């Protein structure tokens, strides 16, 4: 069985591409019921390129586009909130029992703490006016107002970043009707790429006045795909505090741990790798030799107002087994 190689999601130093590959797998398996789909990485230890087995390219594009267009990134009752931290345990239980999507996301978004309050997901890099729910709403609306299938093809097979001067256009509407005028789109930025927030993460300073379209941005379709990976990063209590699957958090400085398996893995196997990844840093002997492990550290702090904006920066391999990089099935989609 050959793989559909997602060349646009090669892990070139930042986490959003790997998260988008994980999110695509979870969406297909858990939301679309395609239980036979598997994830594999070509060259997992040097320039990981994800591939999906068990789905054809056309079906992959159509299912992802249909899902992203119709289903909001969070249930409406959550997406319309200004922030999620104020959710009480009772509200979380009610939402989880009423909505399957809330049931999947809430255990990875918030963990109620004894005495009140909640521990937020380490993937939440929002702060100040750039609230998580606002960012997700803006990305969802931007993706739906463009040619979503075209955007999805670009993200999966070309690249997830929009360069300086690259504009996403949407047809303007006049009195509720489509017109021939086009308008450039703006959308929320997330700190999953160093070009967006690094200048603020390295020191507490005001955002620069650089125009939106002159910045390097993550394509909104890529942000939505990466968001679909969040339920894999489950929060759970531990003797020394709160831990998250796939997160190494020494002294409040979290890093995302990104497994890149050189052999095809199921969604459940990927979940197990993410849970095991923090332990593998302590004892590499327990880590499968055919799986490389990359780490993307986070700079900045998401809560303290005097500290800078948080951002995940360059990912580098931390575990390279002798079999990492083994030949993977099907070869490259576009050649090597």
């Amino acid at each position: 069985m050959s793989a559909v190689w997602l060349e646009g999601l090669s892990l070139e130093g930042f986490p959003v591409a790997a998260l988008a590959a994980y999110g695509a797998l979870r969406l297909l398996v858990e939301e679309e019921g395609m239980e036979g789909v598997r994830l594999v990485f070509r060259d997992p230890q040097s320039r990981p390129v994800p591939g999906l087995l068990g789905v054809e390219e056309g079906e992959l594009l159509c299912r992802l586009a249909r899902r992203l267009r119709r289903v909001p990134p969070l249930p409406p009752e959550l997406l319309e909130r200004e922030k999620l931290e104020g959710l009480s345990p009772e509200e979380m239980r009610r939402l989880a029992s009423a909505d399957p999507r809330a049931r999947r996301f809430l255990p990875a978004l918030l963990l109620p703490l004894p005495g009140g309050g909640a521990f937020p997901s380490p993937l939440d890099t929002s702060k100040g006016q750039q609230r998580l729910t606002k960012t997700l709403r803006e990305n969802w609306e931007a993706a739906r107002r463009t040619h979503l299938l075209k955007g999805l093809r670009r993200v999966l097979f070309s690249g997830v970043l929009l360069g300086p001067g690259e504009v996403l256009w949407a047809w303007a509407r006049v009195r509720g009707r489509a017109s021939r005028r086009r308008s450039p789109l703006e959308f929320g930025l997330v700190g999953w790429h160093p070009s967006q927030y690094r200048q603020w993460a390295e020191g507490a300073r005001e955002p620069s006045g650089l125009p939106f379209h002159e910045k390097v941005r993550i394509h909104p379709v890529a942000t939505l795909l990466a968001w679909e990976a969040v339920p894999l990063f489950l929060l759970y209590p531990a003797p020394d505090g709160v831990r998250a699957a796939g997160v190494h958090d020494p002294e409040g400085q979290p890093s995302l741990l990104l497994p890149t398996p050189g052999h095809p893995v199921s969604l459940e196997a990927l979940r197990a790798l993410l849970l095991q990844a923090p332990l593998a840093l302590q004892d590499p002997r327990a880590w499968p030799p055919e799986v490389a492990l990359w780490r993307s550290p986070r700079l900045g702090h998401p809560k303290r107002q005097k500290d800078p904006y948080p951002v995940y920066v360059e990912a580098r391999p931390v575990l390279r087994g002798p079999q990492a990089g083994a030949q993977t099935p099907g070869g490259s989609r576009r050649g090597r």
Side-chain angles (χ1 to χ4, degrees), residues 120 138 189 205 225 317:
E138 291 178 356
L189 302 181
R205 63 185 76 172
L225 275 181

Side-chain angles (χ1 to χ4, degrees), residues 274-294:
L274 288 169
L275 281 167
Q276 188 182 2
L279 302 176
L281 295 184
Q282 303 174 18
D283 185 4
R285 294 173 298 177
W287 188 249
E290 67 275 8
V291 182
L293 185 63
W294 293 61

Side-chain angles (χ1 to χ4, degrees), residues 153-184:
R153 188 182 298 275
R154 182 225 196 277
V155 165
L156 295 181
F157 302 126
S158 296
V160 303
L161 297 181
L162 298 169
E166 190 174 357
V167 178
L168 292 181
W169 296 95
W171 295 108
R173 301 186 70 85
V174 178
R175 296 178 182 176
R177 296 183 179 181
S179 73
R180 294 189 176 183
R181 288 183 296 173
R182 295 190 306 166
S183 58

Side-chain angles (χ1 to χ4, degrees), residues 140 223 249 326 329-330:
W140 191 46
T223 297
D249 192 359

